[in-house]
Amino acid sequence: MQQPSKHGEVRVRFAPSPTGQVHVGNARTALFNWLFARQQGGKFILRIEDTDLDRSEARYETQLMEDVKWLGLDWDEGPDVGGPYPPYRQSDKWQVYRDLAEQLVREDKAYYCFCKQEDLERHRQQALAAHLPVTYPGTCRALAPEEAARRRAAGEPAAIRLKIPDRPIRFHDIVRGWVEFSNEVVSDPIILRSSGVPVYNYVVVVDDAEMKITHVIRGDDHLSNTPKQVALYEAMGWTVPEFAHLSTILGPDKERLSKRHGATSLANFREMGVLPEALMNYMALLGWAPTGGDREIFSPTELVQEFELERVTPSPAVFDFEKLYWINRHYIKAAEPARIAALTLPFYRKALAREELSTEAEAWLGHITAAFSHQVNKLDELPERAKAVLGYDAKAAMELPENAEILKAETTRPVLDAFCAKLAAEAEPIEAARFKAIIKEVQKETGVKGPALFHPIRILLTCAQSGPEFDKLVPLMEEGAKLGLSLSVKQRIEQFRAAFN
RNA sequence: GGCGCUAUCGUCUAGGGGUUAGGACGUGAGAUUCUCAAUCUUAAAACCCGGGUUCGAUUCCCGGUAGCGCUACCA
């Protein structure tokens, strides 16, 4: 377990842009922040980074919060719940960023830059051709303050650039150790555009500092930006936080995981019937493992206890859907049956094309779920798994080549005749045990056993030669028939005979 | 082009100067079952390459290679 932070109370944040659905990559970052905050007794803060006005949309903000809540993460401060360092949405904070940038200019830690885009681009091309790093040539850094003031007064547009000190920038990363960048490579970055709009790398630092963030846990795509940010902290005289740059999550083709790879947003997984605790468990395993490396199943509570930020691996991880599904199966089995039944209802509604279901129908579907949920990777597979109970189409069954093969076998007709004759004498509903006994009797009478005995009966009953055990199917069929939602065993026989003869 | 990060079974990972390199998913085989699924057992499967350092490197150092990221008045 971690030492209490030298910064005092741990404060971490998840700072997504509301530009779309929450992706597993971002969700994993959120998770690691949350786990760390909870286990340290710190604060987890949600901040909306909507400075990119073109792409940000309010409706995504709502969805984002719902998705994160679904995963099981809660935040202590955020745009909805407030907190001691508002605002938790960047869009109304622009004056702060401007004032702070100008203050930096007054303190001679930043300067106005009048350089034209074309000039900068030309310089860039030259550097590239000369195999040199692309840097700012420093033209305006040398400008006398009076000169700069005069040109500003004359209405010349100016951006503000931070002065990068003349020494390497070093910072500590919990995942990667010490990282060092040459100051030449960092080069004086723009913090405020000539339009007055602040730049992302500047805004984050202001926000993180104002919100007293102690640990910046984020994706490693920000690693190369970190020296700029460190320089900014130092220029402002703020305490540099601890960093932890998490590796990228890749798709099977080793490319950064994206929609291209299929279902990758939290909403997608929810719609597939993946349980939040399963997703959380799986994502935690992407880049983290407990000491010893065995043990893979961790409830959210256990994760909060066991997780160690120091043990997070720096190398990128490929997202393995199969393993996620395996974990999901585990949690489906472990979960309260009533909860699983309720979560599965929408999938039946869709499969049955029924908006409204009676209480009895829901209860019956709940029994189906209970019977088959442990055989399934995701809840959305249940209607398909239970289709033997849910539907019946004798005609279509006849036409399937693999069924036809069995149906025209020599032993089939005697088996079915005997079977049907016996069932005709049965009282309804037929019990599973009685059903089993009948099959035994048929076996005795006809001398047919094994697949030759079971397959025809199975086709008669379910239209398929493979599927779940009769023990489970028969009671569900009988119960469903009573509710008018399925066909009873006898009804199935009737329909089958009509089609078969 | 420059800079940075990364590199153990197909995948997620444990480990670490001397190990039969461990676990899990997936895959193969077997058991069970009328069958499918589930379940159980079992097998195959890895230290990127080249130099150092060392009695000994997969482990430490350097270089290479590859992947990824950043290199914007994008976020």
Side-chain angles (χ1 to χ4, degrees), chain A residues 18 44 56 83 96 98 109 147 174 223 262 308 452 471:
Chain A
F44 178 59
S56 298
V96 176
R98 271 170 222 173
K109 288 168 178 161
E147 167 78 357
I174 295 172
L223 190 63
E308 288 171 87
D471 281 8

Side-chain angles (χ1 to χ4, degrees), chain A residues 354 360-361 364-365 367-368 388-392 428-430 473-493 495:
Chain A
R354 287 215 202 185
E360 293 79 19
W364 178 64
L365 291 168
H367 295 155
I368 296 180
V389 186
L390 260 20
Y392 193 79
E428 295 191 284
I430 294 152
L473 293 177
V474 170
L476 291 169
M477 287 172 179
E478 298 293 274
E479 189 191 345
K482 216 168 11 180
L483 298 168
L485 296 161
S486 181
L487 295 179
S488 69
V489 174
K490 285 193 178 187
Q491 287 169 325
R492 282 162 199 256
I493 290 176
Q495 293 204 6

Side-chain angles (χ1 to χ4, degrees), chain A residues 41-288:
Chain A
K43 294 278 193 287
F44 178 59
I45 294 148
L46 179 69
R47 183 173 75 221
I48 303 294
E49 306 217 321
D50 58 350
T51 41
D52 187 356
L53 292 175
D54 294 338
R55 287 193 291 169
S56 298
E57 285 189 47
R59 68 190 167 102
Y60 285 131
E61 189 179 312
T62 319
Q63 196 197 345
L64 181 159
M65 293 199 268
E66 273 168 18
D67 287 348
V68 174
K69 271 185 207 158
W70 171 80
L71 219 212
L73 312 188
D74 57 333
W75 50 95
D76 307 294
E77 299 168 24
D80 55 338
V81 293
Y85 307 102
Y88 290 87
R89 199 181 283 120
Q90 291 175 333
S91 43
D92 277 329
K93 238 181 129 176
W94 287 9
Q95 197 53 50
V96 176
Y97 304 128
R98 271 170 222 173
D99 292 347
L100 244 21
E102 272 161 20
Q103 179 194 317
L104 241 28
V105 174
R106 283 195 300 277
E107 292 170 358
D108 196 30
K109 288 168 178 161
Y111 56 92
Y112 290 106
C113 174
F114 302 92
C115 291
K116 300 269 180 301
Q117 299 258 31
E118 311 86 72
D119 296 334
L120 293 172
E121 182 55 26
R122 186 161 8 90
H123 182 79
R124 196 183 119 86
Q125 293 305 334
Q126 282 169 3
L128 242 34
H131 296 195
L132 258 28
V134 178
T135 56
Y136 176 64
T139 322
C140 296
R141 189 177 189 165
L143 239 46
E146 307 77 51
E147 167 78 357
R150 194 183 52 73
R151 287 169 73 171
R152 287 243 314 147
E156 199 172 335
I160 295 182
R161 278 186 193 272
L162 179 72
K163 280 188 179 171
I164 294 295
D166 200 15
R167 56 182 160 77
I169 299 172
R170 243 164 87 82
F171 59 90
H172 186 259
D173 187 289
I174 295 172
V175 178
R176 287 151 214 274
W178 287 97
V179 184
E180 186 174 302
F181 286 80
S182 155
N183 54 301
E184 284 154 31
V185 171
V186 179
S187 191
D188 294 357
I190 285 182
I191 58 173
L192 200 74
R193 298 182 180 91
S194 49
S195 63
V197 178
V199 154
Y200 167 82
N201 277 307
Y202 166 61
V203 170
V204 214
V205 170
V206 173
D207 288 350
D208 284 342
E210 291 200 333
M211 291 182 184
K212 308 255 189 295
I213 300 302
T214 57
H215 300 255
V216 173
I217 306 170
R218 53 165 34 158
D220 70 354
D221 47 335
H222 291 288
L223 190 63
S224 301
N225 289 146
T226 307
K228 289 179 202 170
Q229 299 179 7
V230 169
L232 217 27
Y233 278 102
E234 287 172 349
M236 293 285 194
W238 293 329
T239 311
V240 180
E242 275 289 326
F243 294 99
H245 286 97
L246 272 22
S247 68
T248 318
I249 297 180
L250 309 174
D253 55 359
K254 310 268 174 157
E255 300 261 349
R256 181 179 268 274
L257 190 69
S258 70
K259 320 97 229 159
R260 226 167 31 71
H261 296 99
T264 51
S265 73
L266 293 186
N268 290 152
F269 287 113
R270 189 182 55 220
E271 285 156 13
M272 279 160 45
V274 169
L275 301 179
E277 66 268 39
L279 222 210
M280 185 191 281
N281 192 154
Y282 177 68
M283 287 196 303
L285 259 23
L286 249 27
W288 174 80

